[in-house]
Amino acid sequence: TTKPFAWRDDASVMTPGSVGLGVSMARWQGSGLSQTTVPVIDAAIGLTPRVQVGASVPRVDDVIISWSR
């Protein structure tokens, strides 16, 4: 049998002063429209032993939106 993919997260928080950076992509598809966003810059920083802040900043460009019929 096939089991669904389960993302495991232990809810750990970054240590204060540590930084995480990443690059990703996003693809969206709806009724007749689709969009691919590359790159998406991801960043996070540990502030205190129990607090971290993160952000994902996509590059948005109207040219890559495509219509399909």
Side-chain angles (χ1 to χ4, degrees):
T1 63
T2 304
K3 294 182 181 180
F5 173 76
W7 185 264
R8 305 236 176 192
D9 189 357
D10 63 0
S12 59
V13 180
M14 299 172 72
T15 56
S18 62
V19 176
L21 296 173
V23 178
S24 60
M25 69 172 287
R27 170 128 171 94
W28 174 86
Q29 186 169 348
S31 178
L33 288 172
S34 66
Q35 180 177 7
T36 303
T37 304
V38 177
V40 178
I41 305 299
D42 308 304
I45 184 168
L47 298 178
T48 70
R50 298 183 69 178
V51 177
Q52 74 182 32
V53 175
S56 295
V57 182
R59 176 181 178 262
V60 178
D61 189 357
D62 292 338
V63 177
I64 39 182
I65 296 175
S66 60
W67 296 85
S68 61
R69 296 182 183 182

